[in-house]
Amino acid sequence: MATSYPELNYGNGAKWIKNLTQSRLSNFLGGHFADVNLSSKMFVHRLDGPGVVDLQVWSAPGLTKPLFAEAMRQKFRPAKKEESFGPSCTNHWWKVKMTIPSSWKEYERVQLEFDPGCEAMIFSTDGVPLQGITGGYGGDRRVEHIIPRGAILRGTYEVVIESSCNGMFGVPWNGDTIAPPDMNRYFKLASADLVVPNQEAWRLMWDFSALRELVDSLPGNSALQNKALVTANAIMNAFTTGDDENIKQMRAIAEDVFGKGWEAKGPGIYDEGARKAQVIGISYCHIDTAWLWPYAVTQQKTARSWSTQIDLMGRYPEHRFACSQAQQFKWLEQQYPPLFEKLKHKVASGQFHLIGGAWIENDGNLPSGEALVRQFLYGQRYFQSRFGKRCETAWLPDSFGLTAAYPQLIRDSGMKYFFTQKLSWNNINVFPHTTFNWVGIDGTQVLCHMTPVDTYTAQANVGEVNKAISNHKNLESNDTALLVFGNGDGGGGALPKMLENLRRIRAVTNNHRELPPVSMGSTVEQFFEDIERDSKGGRSLPVWRGELYLEFHRGTYTSHGSIKKGNRKCEILLRDVERVATLATTYQPASSDYVYPKKSIDECWEKVLLNQFHDVLPGSAIGMVYDDAERLYSEVRHDCQKMLDQAFEVLLTTPSTACGDSVLGGRPSGFLALNLTPFSRQEVVEVPLSGDGDLPSFPTVIQRSLDGKRGYALIEYEKDSICNRETSMHDECLPASVESVSSNHFILQTPVIKMTVCEGRITSIYDLVLGLELIEEGQTGGLVIFEDRPNYWDAWDVEIHHLETRTPLAFSSFRVVAQGPLRATIEAHVKYGRSDIKVMISMDGTPATRQYDLRPLIRFDAEVDWHEKHKFLKFELPLSINNTVATYECQFGFVQRPTYKNTTLDAAKFEVCGHKYADFSEFGYGVAILSESKYGFACEGNVLRISLLRAATAPDADQDQGLHEFSWAVMPHAGSFLESDVPRAAYLFNSPLHVRAIPQGVAAVESFVREFPFSLHGARNIFLETVKRGEDDDFESPAAKKTVILRLYEAFGGHGHTELRISRNVHVVAAYTTNLLEDTKAELTLSCDIRGGGASKLDLEFRGFEVKTVKLVLADAEGTLATNSNFDPVPAVIGRSGSRESWVVVSDDASE
C-alpha cells in the first residue's frame, strides 16, 4: 500500500506552547497593536466638520425634558465637535445635516457616528424615534446610525438628536456605580462623523471574537477548544495587508469551525443541527423604572431602548424582544406616539413580546396583597386594551425576594409561568433549583424558571451559553434553559454583536457537540410550554414551598422609612376611598349627581404602584427619585381626601370636614368618627380642647391630658358598624394608670397587664391575670442601635455581623402626659449622637380588639430627629417564650421563619420582612409587635425585634436624615398565635378612624348608612379586604348596570366557611366568583337570609390562605335610596342622644 508518510525526518515538529498561543489572541484587536492589527481596518472612510456634518444645538433650561415638538420650536445655535454640554441630567437637542460624498454610493453601508459621551436618541425630522445612542467606550457603546440607502443616493440626510447628560448608570460622582450622583458633570461631543465601515472587517472581528470565546470559555482540553485556538491562531498568521482579499481569506479560515457557507444561511442557521435546542435565547432590556436616575429619565431610556430593538428586528428576523412593565408602555404611548404605533405592529407580528402582566416590576416583599393584585389588574388590563392580549408569564428577575403569596396571585391573574433569577445573588446559600414548581402558602403552584446563566443581562457569549447547562441544577428533570440577553438595568438591550455571536455559536453547535445548541425565534411562553409538556404537567419537577427569600439586600425592608410609610398609608387610604365611594354609589339619593371617581382612583393607584418599583419602595435609589416619590404620595393623599370628602357628602346629611390643624381655629361643635373596617372595635379617642377649656358637644370627654390640651373619650363600634356609639366607662373597660416611682422608674398598668420602665429600659411586662412575666429574667427591652456597615451595597444590605455591635439605648428623661383611666402615657426622651428620640409610651383602658380575654396594646409613638450615618435603630423585647419559629404577616396570610441557626439556611434569615405584625408565641401565650409603617423584623432566639431606621449614604447621601414620626405596638395575648386575634388587631392598628369636624349649631348628624351592607358571619379567619366597583362598569351613565367587587381571604392558614350577608337595601340579582382580573369563574347561588328581613346571602368556602373575589351584580339605577320603596332608611343619629362619634388623635393630619 502506497503511503505519503516519509521515512526520514530532520525537522522540529509541530509542538506548540498552548498557553502562549492563547495569550497571543489578545493582540489581534485593539490594545498596543491597534494601529497594525485588525482594528486599523475597521473603517474605510471618516469625514467630519462643516459642509459634511453641520450641527446646531438648543439646550433645554434647567432639568426640563421637553418633547420633540416643543424642542423644534426653539432657537438653535451652531455647534461643533469637542464642545462640552451639561451639567448632569440636562437635555440638549441637535439638528444634524449631513452631506454624503457621491463616491460613497458604492459602499455597503454609510453611518453617522455620534458620540456625545452620554445617552441620546435619534429622531427623524418629523419626530419619529429611530434608535438610541449610548456614548462612551463601555461594553454598551452604541454610537452608529445607519443612513438609509435612499439618502446615500440622494447625497443628503438630516436627523434630530436629543442628548441627555447622564450615562447608562446615571452620574455617580466617583465612578462607583452606587455612589450618589455628581450633579455637575459635563459631557463632550467626541464624534459627529460620517463613516464608511469595512463590513467584512467587522464580520471578521465577530468571527474572531467567537473563536476566542470558545478558547477561553470551554472547560478542559476539548477538541473544539483546541480547534478554535488553532483556527484563531491561523487567522492571525494570515493577517497581512488587511485588504478585502486578505480579510476574505481569513474569514474562510474561520469556517473550519463555523462550517462552510454558514453565513449565507442567515437566520436559517437555527433551522439546522439539533432538532431541540437546550438553550433558548430571548432578548430583553431591563430598564429600572427609577434607580440611579429619576422617572423622567426612564421615560427617555424606554424610547431609546425600544426604538433600537425595533430597528434591529429589521436586520435580524430571528430577533425576539421580551418586554414588561405596563407603566413604561403607557409613558411611551403618551410621549412618543409614533414609536408606540411601530411597537404595536411588532407586537402583532410576534417579534415584540409582552411579559410580566404587571404595572411595573415591583418589589416582591413590601407591597400589600391588594397592591400586588392591582399590579396585575392594571398591567393585564392595559396590555389587553392596547394590544388585544394579556401576558402569560409573570416576570420579576430583579426583585429582592418574593412573597409566598405570589403563586396564587399569578395564577389568578391568568398566568401560570414565572421567571426570576435574583436568588442567584444569595450571599450564604446557593438556591438548589433551576426549573421547579413554586408552591405558595395556599398550595397554588406556578412553573418557575431561574435562568442558570444567573443574569437577566447576558451578553450572549459562549461562556453564558455553556453555563446555561453546566450550571443547571435540575437536568434530571428538564435540560433546557432560558438565555435572557441584552444590556440592562439602565436599558439598551441587545447589540448587533450579540445577535451575530449567537448565529456563530449555533453554527458551531451544528457541527460540534461540545457546546449546547442555542435557538432564537421562540417566545418565553413556548419555552415554558415545552417544559410543561416534557415534565408531564410539572409532575417530574422538584417543588419549592414557601417564599423565595433572597439572602441579600435585607436592609431594603427598612431603608427610606418615609417611603415605606407613604406606601402603607396610601394603600390603606385607597382601600377606604373605594369602600366609601362604593357605598356612595350604592346608596346615593336620586337627587345626587355623585359619580364613582374611577378615573381619579385609577390615577392614584397608578402612582402608588409606580412607587412600588423594586428600587424605589426598597429605598435603594438616589435622592432625586425620592423627591418624585414623595410628591406622588402627597398627590395621592390630597386626591384621596378629596374623594373621601365627596363621598361623605353623599352619605352624611350634614356638612363635615376632615380634621386637621384648622379644626382648633374653627371651633367645631363636635367630631364624627367613621369606622371603615368590618370589625367591631373599642377606641380611646383624642379630641382637641379649645384654649378656654370649652368641650365639644360630642363625644363626652372622660379624661383630660395633664396639659389640658387634649380630651379623651371612649367610643365603640359593633361589627360592620360605620358610625360609632359613644359610651362611658363600664365593666368591659380596663382602667389604665401610670405610677411614677421615681424620676426614672414608671409603671404603666391596667387590671390585666403591667409594664415597668426602670432606668430607661423596659424591665418587666407582667400578665396580672396569669401571673406571667414576659421579659426574660435579667434582661431588658427597648431601643437598641447597631453599627451598620455592609460589605458593599449600602442602602440594600445589612450583614449578619451587625448583630455583633449591639448597643442598648436608655431613655434619659420622662414626663407623665396622661394618668388614666382611659389612657396612661409617659413621654420618654433619649439623645444619641446627633439625633433626638422622643417616644410616647401609652396603655389604654381598652383591649386590642373586642375578643373576650384580650389584653390592651402597649403603644409606642416615636418622633425621631435622625442625623446618624451607618447606624441601625431597632426596638427589641427579650421574651420568656420558647419556640423554634416566629410568625410574620405577608400578603393575604403569614409565613413562619426559624428563630435558631441550626443550618446556614436558618442563619441566613437574620433580618426578614413582615407587614403589619410579627408574633412570637408558645402554647398558652405570645407577644406580637404591630407595625403601621415598618417592614423589617427579626426573632433571634427569644429576642423579638422591629427595625426602625437606617442611615446609608449610597446611593442617596442623605437617606433617612431628618424628622420621622412612626408608631409600633406590643400586643401580649393569651394563647398561641392561632388562638389569638393578632391579625385583626394589626388590621385595626393600621386603620385609623376617619374623623370629621361638625360645624357649630349642629346638634345631631344623620347618616344614610349605619353599617356595611356586606357582612361576614361564621368564621373569624375570613377577612373582607376590598370593596370596590367593577372594572367594566359604565360610570358615566346613571342607568348603567352596577357591579360591586368584594375581595376576601383566609388569614390563619386553615379552611373556613362563611356566610356573606348582603343588606336588604342592596338588591343583588346575580353573584359570581371571578379571578383577580374580574373574569367570571362561576356563578354563586344567592339565597334569602331569613334573619335579615329580606337580605340575601352567599355561602363561601375557603382553603387556607385562599384569596377569593366575588362580583355582585346590582339590580339597576332604580334601586337607589330615594326611589327604592323597599328601603326604610333609619338614619344613624350622631350626637348626645344615642350618639355615634369621634376618633383617635385629631392632630396634624387626620387623613392618616
Side-chain angles (χ1 to χ4, degrees):
M1 179 178 178
T3 178
S4 60
Y5 185 67
E7 181 178 355
L8 301 177
N9 187 337
Y10 298 105
N12 290 326
K15 178 68 176 177
W16 66 348
I17 310 300
K18 182 177 179 180
N19 65 305
L20 295 181
T21 303
Q22 186 170 345
S23 298
R24 179 197 184 196
L25 303 187
S26 62
N27 292 329
F28 192 57
L29 291 165
H32 180 67
F33 302 104
D35 59 335
V36 293
N37 62 20
L38 182 62
S39 295
S40 66
K41 306 298 180 181
M42 303 304 289
F43 295 96
V44 179
H45 296 290
R46 179 180 294 271
L47 296 174
D48 67 353
V52 178
V53 181
D54 294 301
L55 301 171
Q56 291 182 299
V57 69
W58 170 71
S59 298
L63 300 182
T64 60
K65 187 179 73 71
L67 297 178
F68 181 89
E70 181 183 350
M72 291 303 97
R73 292 193 292 267
Q74 310 305 317
K75 184 177 180 180
F76 284 64
R77 67 167 178 84
K80 61 182 184 300
K81 279 175 58 174
E82 304 299 323
E83 281 193 55
S84 292
F85 295 85
S88 303
C89 300
T90 56
N91 294 283
H92 307 268
W93 286 83
W94 306 77
K95 292 181 178 178
V96 184
K97 182 178 181 180
M98 291 155 274
T99 303
I100 305 164
S102 60
S103 60
W104 288 13
K105 297 176 183 178
E106 65 181 272
Y107 295 110
E108 179 182 348
R109 180 179 294 180
V110 178
Q111 298 174 172
L112 167 67
E113 183 181 289
F114 191 88
D115 183 0
C118 56
E119 289 194 276
M121 183 157 65
I122 300 179
F123 294 79
S124 66
T125 54
D126 57 353
V128 178
L130 301 177
Q131 70 168 82
I133 290 287
T134 305
Y137 291 90
D140 52 8
R141 175 179 171 86
R142 189 198 318 258
V143 297
E144 72 282 357
H145 171 62
I146 300 172
I147 297 176
R149 194 67 193 166
I152 298 172
L153 297 175
R154 188 172 59 248
T156 60
Y157 185 54
E158 295 183 35
V159 294
V160 175
I161 301 177
E162 178 196 29
S163 65
S164 303
C165 291
N166 57 267
M168 190 66 81
F169 290 87
V171 282
W173 72 269
N174 64 354
D176 183 351
T177 300
I178 67 168
D182 175 3
M183 295 306 294
N184 198 37
R185 182 177 298 181
Y186 283 73
F187 295 82
K188 184 173 68 174
L189 181 59
S191 66
D193 303 349
L194 271 183
V195 300
V196 175
N198 184 340
Q199 286 297 98
E200 278 299 287
W202 282 85
R203 295 178 184 117
L204 176 60
M205 180 192 72
W206 293 326
D207 290 346
F208 191 87
S209 296
L211 291 170
R212 190 175 175 193
E213 287 176 10
L214 290 168
V215 173
D216 293 341
S217 301
L218 290 179
N221 189 32
S222 68
L224 177 57
Q225 181 203 40
N226 281 280
K227 186 175 183 64
L229 179 55
V230 168
T231 304
N233 188 58
I235 289 173
M236 292 188 70
N237 290 337
F239 182 81
T240 54
T241 60
D243 59 16
D244 291 350
E245 192 60 35
N246 186 214
I247 290 176
K248 182 179 179 181
Q249 175 191 1
M250 289 183 282
R251 295 210 66 206
I253 296 172
E255 290 186 338
D256 288 348
V257 173
F258 302 132
K260 296 296 181 182
W262 73 271
E263 187 174 35
K265 299 168 185 175
I269 198 72
Y270 295 103
D271 298 328
E272 299 185 355
R275 288 198 306 169
K276 178 185 176 183
Q278 290 181 278
V279 182
I280 311 301
I282 291 291
S283 173
Y284 170 64
C285 171
H286 187 73
I287 304 177
D288 284 323
T289 303
W291 179 30
L292 305 175
W293 51 86
Y295 291 132
V297 172
T298 301
Q299 294 163 2
Q300 296 168 307
K301 285 177 175 287
T302 300
R304 294 180 198 124
S305 301
W306 296 358
S307 62
T308 299
Q309 299 310 306
I310 290 173
D311 175 64
L312 284 174
M313 290 171 189
R315 284 180 273 156
Y316 298 93
E318 72 272 26
H319 180 35
R320 299 293 181 269
F321 180 64
C323 197
S324 65
Q325 307 195 78
Q327 172 68 87
Q328 295 182 6
F329 284 82
K330 183 173 182 178
W331 281 336
L332 196 79
E333 180 183 17
Q334 293 171 332
Q335 299 184 4
Y336 305 95
L339 178 57
F340 189 76
E341 289 303 312
K342 291 171 68 175
L343 184 153
K344 288 174 68 175
H345 289 302
K346 292 299 182 182
V347 171
S349 71
Q351 292 174 279
F352 202 111
H353 298 162
L354 309 176
I355 54 172
W359 192 246
I360 44 93
E361 289 186 14
N362 52 277
D363 178 81
N365 290 311
L366 305 173
S368 69
E370 187 60 30
L372 292 183
V373 169
R374 301 306 172 95
Q375 288 286 352
F376 289 133
L377 177 69
Y378 282 81
Q380 290 283 50
R381 289 184 70 88
Y382 179 86
F383 290 130
Q384 179 74 48
S385 66
R386 300 315 193 271
F387 306 106
K389 61 174 67 178
R390 295 173 179 173
C391 302
E392 299 176 42
T393 302
W395 186 275
L396 286 174
D398 197 29
S399 297
F400 310 150
L402 298 155
T403 171
Y406 249 132
Q408 179 178 195
L409 304 183
I410 291 170
R411 291 300 291 265
D412 215 29
S413 298
M415 298 175 283
K416 59 181 176 180
Y417 306 134
F418 182 56
F419 175 82
T420 186
Q421 71 83 45
K422 196 65 175 183
L423 267 65
S424 67
W425 285 45
N426 279 2
N427 67 351
I428 297 179
N429 299 283
V430 176
F431 189 77
H433 300 307
T434 293
T435 303
F436 57 98
N437 299 308
W438 180 26
V439 179
I441 52 175
D442 73 309
T444 300
Q445 68 174 357
V446 291
L447 181 53
C448 183
H449 180 71
M450 293 187 185
T451 173
V453 185
D454 291 346
T455 183
Y456 51 83
T457 59
Q459 298 299 295
N461 57 48
V462 171
E464 292 165 337
V465 171
N466 196 57
K467 186 178 181 180
I469 299 304
S470 65
N471 192 48
H472 199 298
K473 302 176 182 69
N474 302 113
L475 291 175
E476 79 288 352
S477 303
N478 181 269
D479 63 352
T480 59
L482 206 57
L483 174 70
V484 182
F485 68 93
N487 291 316
D489 290 332
L495 295 170
K497 67 179 181 181
M498 299 176 187
L499 298 167
E500 292 284 350
N501 208 41
L502 288 173
R503 286 187 179 182
R504 285 161 174 79
I505 293 171
R506 179 56 188 244
V508 170
T509 60
N510 287 348
N511 296 281
H512 304 273
R513 294 293 176 262
E514 296 169 56
L515 194 64
V518 60
S519 73
M520 290 284 289
S522 298
T523 67
V524 174
E525 283 72 32
Q526 287 170 333
F527 167 78
F528 277 106
E529 287 166 0
D530 289 344
I531 294 174
E532 182 182 357
R533 182 187 62 252
D534 294 345
S535 66
K536 301 178 179 63
R539 287 186 292 275
S540 66
L541 297 176
V543 169
W544 181 270
R545 293 186 179 274
E547 66 182 326
L548 294 176
Y549 176 83
L550 177 64
E551 297 175 3
F552 211 42
H553 293 358
R554 304 169 184 87
T556 58
Y557 313 142
T558 307
S559 292
H560 263 295
S562 64
I563 296 302
K564 269 71 170 179
K565 183 174 182 178
N567 178 70
R568 180 79 63 85
K569 298 300 183 185
C570 288
E571 287 175 338
I572 292 169
L573 262 178
L574 280 165
R575 180 198 70 192
D576 289 353
V577 165
E578 290 179 331
R579 288 186 179 187
V580 176
T582 301
L583 292 179
T585 56
T586 303
Y587 287 105
Q588 70 188 96
S591 59
S592 171
D593 60 357
Y594 178 81
V595 176
Y596 187 84
K598 183 65 165 65
K599 184 174 184 292
S600 295
I601 289 172
D602 288 344
E603 289 173 351
C604 287
W605 264 118
E606 287 179 11
K607 291 172 183 178
V608 172
L609 300 179
L610 172 60
N611 276 352
Q612 290 176 345
F613 181 73
H614 65 253
D615 271 310
V616 179
L617 184 53
S620 51
I622 61 172
M624 292 173 70
V625 172
Y626 294 107
D627 294 339
D628 290 342
E630 295 280 11
R631 175 180 54 81
L632 292 177
Y633 285 139
S634 177
E635 292 172 0
V636 170
R637 290 175 59 133
H638 174 271
D639 292 346
C640 282
Q641 188 57 61
K642 182 179 178 181
M643 288 187 280
L644 285 170
D645 290 343
Q646 292 169 342
F648 286 138
E649 285 180 9
V650 175
L651 296 173
L652 303 175
T653 59
T654 300
S656 64
T657 58
C659 291
D661 289 340
S662 60
V663 167
L664 297 177
R667 300 285 295 274
S669 65
F671 303 95
L672 164 66
L674 299 169
N675 171 34
L676 300 184
T677 79
F679 301 125
S680 61
R681 61 198 297 182
Q682 188 181 65
E683 299 272 348
V684 174
V685 300
E686 256 182 56
V687 294
L689 303 181
S690 61
D692 56 13
D694 286 352
L695 299 179
S697 300
F698 48 87
T700 300
V701 171
I702 296 174
Q703 173 193 335
R704 296 184 188 223
S705 61
L706 293 183
D707 61 10
K709 295 181 179 179
R710 298 279 170 172
Y712 301 94
L714 185 61
I715 304 297
E716 288 184 349
Y717 298 83
E718 298 303 321
K719 183 178 182 300
D720 298 307
S721 174
I722 297 172
C723 297
N724 57 286
R725 176 171 61 86
E726 182 183 337
T727 186
S728 59
M729 296 289 289
H730 50 72
D731 291 342
E732 289 184 18
C733 294
L734 309 168
S737 64
V738 57
E739 177 184 355
S740 177
V741 180
S742 66
S743 62
N744 63 357
H745 187 175
F746 294 82
I747 298 174
L748 288 166
Q749 75 175 69
T750 71
V752 294
I753 286 289
K754 178 174 71 172
M755 184 180 77
T756 302
V757 180
C758 187
E759 297 183 356
R761 302 285 294 170
I762 299 171
T763 57
S764 172
I765 300 177
Y766 190 78
D767 190 300
L768 295 165
V769 176
L770 299 179
L772 180 63
E773 175 59 58
L774 301 179
I775 299 296
E776 181 186 1
E777 184 177 358
Q779 301 297 314
T780 63
L783 296 175
V784 288
I785 203 157
F786 299 84
E787 297 293 330
D788 188 12
R789 301 172 186 174
N791 295 343
Y792 176 68
W793 297 95
D794 198 355
W796 292 260
D797 285 347
V798 58
E799 306 288 3
I800 195 168
H801 48 70
H802 87 285
L803 295 171
E804 303 168 16
T805 64
R806 174 180 174 274
T807 300
L809 298 184
F811 291 113
S812 56
S813 63
F814 298 87
R815 179 173 70 92
V816 176
V817 175
Q819 291 183 315
L822 287 184
R823 175 167 293 168
T825 303
I826 58 174
E827 180 182 291
H829 289 259
V830 61
K831 183 173 179 61
Y832 176 84
R834 299 172 57 238
S835 301
D836 291 296
I837 303 171
K838 179 180 76 174
V839 181
M840 307 288 280
I841 308 173
S842 302
M843 193 180 294
D844 286 353
T846 58
T849 72
R850 298 294 296 277
Q851 186 169 310
Y852 171 69
D853 60 350
L854 219 62
R855 278 64 177 161
L857 296 179
I858 305 169
R859 184 180 177 112
F860 298 80
D861 297 296
E863 183 178 294
V864 182
D865 192 12
W866 186 245
H867 296 284
E868 303 309 305
K869 301 287 188 181
H870 302 297
K871 303 290 184 180
F872 202 158
L873 180 67
K874 303 186 182 187
F875 173 83
E876 69 177 21
L877 291 175
L879 299 168
S880 56
I881 292 173
N882 181 35
N883 202 337
T884 57
V885 295
T887 303
Y888 306 86
E889 189 189 39
C890 68
Q891 298 84 348
F892 298 125
F894 63 78
V895 293
Q896 293 185 317
R897 302 182 178 108
T899 60
Y900 50 83
K901 299 178 181 178
N902 285 359
T903 69
T904 54
L905 285 170
D906 305 325
K909 296 181 179 179
F910 58 85
E911 181 83 5
V912 297
C913 182
H915 279 227
K916 297 188 289 291
Y917 64 79
D919 183 87
F920 187 47
S921 299
E922 62 185 15
F923 176 80
Y925 213 91
V927 174
I929 294 179
L930 312 185
S931 160
E932 51 81 52
S933 64
K934 302 300 177 182
Y935 294 87
F937 293 93
C939 190
E940 185 183 17
N942 66 329
V943 180
L944 185 61
R945 293 193 182 103
I946 182 173
S947 298
L948 303 176
L949 286 172
R950 295 188 68 219
T953 58
D956 182 359
D958 299 314
Q959 179 197 294
D960 281 320
Q961 300 299 295
L963 188 65
H964 297 261
E965 295 180 358
F966 50 86
S967 303
W968 70 95
V970 174
M971 180 183 171
H973 58 84
S976 66
F977 168 76
L978 293 179
E979 299 170 290
S980 77
D981 212 14
V982 168
R984 183 176 305 191
Y987 191 107
L988 293 173
F989 187 67
N990 279 266
S991 303
L993 302 169
H994 287 265
V995 179
R996 314 286 298 176
I998 307 303
Q1000 287 283 347
V1002 177
V1005 181
E1006 294 183 354
S1007 171
F1008 288 133
V1009 188
R1010 289 192 246 177
E1011 58 186 33
F1012 277 108
F1014 315 109
S1015 178
L1016 300 180
H1017 298 267
R1020 73 179 184 94
N1021 57 328
I1022 310 300
F1023 285 12
L1024 175 59
E1025 176 67 19
T1026 300
V1027 179
K1028 62 183 282 290
R1029 290 286 301 278
E1031 291 294 314
D1032 295 317
D1033 284 6
D1034 181 355
F1035 300 101
E1036 301 303 320
S1037 173
K1041 178 185 69 176
K1042 294 179 181 177
T1043 64
V1044 173
I1045 300 296
L1046 309 178
R1047 189 128 41 238
L1048 311 92
Y1049 73 99
E1050 196 287 319
F1052 282 83
H1055 285 79
H1057 172 86
T1058 189
E1059 281 185 1
L1060 171 60
R1061 297 179 189 170
I1062 304 165
S1063 168
R1064 66 189 177 92
N1065 304 314
V1066 178
H1067 302 290
V1068 177
V1069 296
Y1072 305 90
T1073 56
T1074 76
N1075 62 14
L1076 300 180
L1077 309 182
E1078 301 180 19
D1079 302 321
T1080 298
K1081 286 183 174 179
E1083 186 168 7
L1084 295 169
T1085 301
L1086 277 167
S1087 57
C1088 182
D1089 181 5
I1090 59 174
R1091 295 157 293 188
S1096 54
K1097 67 171 184 149
L1098 296 169
D1099 289 317
L1100 301 174
E1101 298 285 345
F1102 288 79
R1103 65 178 181 274
F1105 299 128
E1106 182 181 2
V1107 178
K1108 194 180 293 290
T1109 304
V1110 174
K1111 178 165 68 174
L1112 305 177
V1113 181
L1114 307 190
D1116 53 37
E1118 297 302 315
T1120 59
L1121 174 65
T1123 60
N1124 183 355
S1125 60
N1126 294 322
F1127 182 47
D1128 181 21
V1130 182
V1133 180
I1134 303 149
R1136 284 234 178 253
S1137 176
S1139 63
R1140 298 169 180 264
E1141 223 292 56
S1142 205
W1143 152 0
V1144 73
V1145 186
V1146 181
S1147 59
D1148 294 343
D1149 193 338
S1151 65
E1152 288 191 2

